[in-house]
Amino acid sequence: MGFDWKKQKIAVGSDHAGFDLKQEIIAFLQKHEIECYDFGVYEKTPADYPSIAKEVALAVADHEFDKGIIICGSGLGVCIVANKVVGIRAVTCHETYSARVSRTHNDANVLTLGARVIGTDLAKEVVLTWLKTEFEGGRHQLRVSMIEG
Ligand code: RB5
């Protein structure tokens, strides 16, 4: 059975800096009929990125969602936080090559974006590439297994 990229359930979250891009990405996912859940924030009031990133990462690690997308200003803070959660392989990608190999080689399960770094159209392309690309397994499976001992 082939990989049906449209059947994935995606957890999405952002801090205030990522709010506008989060809204765009959620609308984009909905347009593609991909099931997603918005973990907030729901307004642009300054919010602490570690809280939202941890919530999304835990939901993915608990297998409530297949993957997560977390957005902050740089994409970096939320990536650091998400990677503290056991079972999470979070990557910051601002171009499609990294988005693709983070899936084929690293089986990344959280994508982080920096709303102050990337434009909306490129962010959508990155998201689409990341969601459509399947993990290659094989020699990469052993390496991914080694990440958490
Ligand atoms: C907020 O100003 C900013 O620090 C945050 O969005 C993020 O970029 C942190 O890594």
Side-chain angles (χ1 to χ4, degrees):
M1 204 175 75
F3 164 69
D4 186 352
W5 71 279
K6 289 226 174 195
K7 290 256 159 64
Q8 305 177 84
K9 211 172 144 190
I10 312 299
V12 186
S14 77
D15 70 355
H16 56 289
F19 176 80
D20 286 337
L21 183 57
K22 170 171 70 66
Q23 300 310 103
E24 296 270 6
I25 295 300
I26 287 172
F28 182 68
L29 293 175
Q30 287 168 343
K31 195 187 92 183
H32 284 281
E33 297 175 329
I34 293 168
E35 190 180 344
C36 61
Y37 181 80
D38 185 359
F39 279 78
V41 296
Y42 307 110
E43 56 182 27
K44 284 199 208 176
T45 311
D48 300 322
Y49 67 83
S51 310
I52 194 79
K54 198 168 179 181
E55 219 185 315
V56 172
L58 285 171
V60 175
D62 288 347
H63 303 290
E64 289 168 44
F65 294 86
D66 297 298
K67 292 190 181 106
I69 298 173
I70 322 175
I71 307 169
C72 65
S74 63
L76 302 176
V78 291
C79 192
I80 293 168
V81 174
N83 276 315
K84 299 271 181 195
V85 174
V86 174
I88 293 302
R89 292 174 299 280
V91 287
T92 308
C93 300
H94 290 135
E95 33 70 34
T96 55
Y97 174 82
S98 303
R100 186 165 56 75
V101 295
S102 79
R103 290 289 312 130
T104 54
H105 290 199
N106 314 117
D107 198 16
N109 52 9
V110 169
L111 169 69
T112 74
L113 297 166
R116 294 172 179 160
V117 181
I118 192 170
T120 306
D121 284 359
L122 180 55
K124 288 176 184 172
E125 271 189 56
V126 165
V127 165
L128 209 54
T129 300
W130 192 71
L131 290 178
K132 281 184 171 182
T133 306
E134 200 173 2
F135 179 47
E136 267 178 25
R139 69 187 194 279
H140 299 296
Q141 181 57 65
L142 172 66
R143 293 168 185 162
V144 167
S145 310
M146 289 168 72
I147 294 173
E148 276 163 21

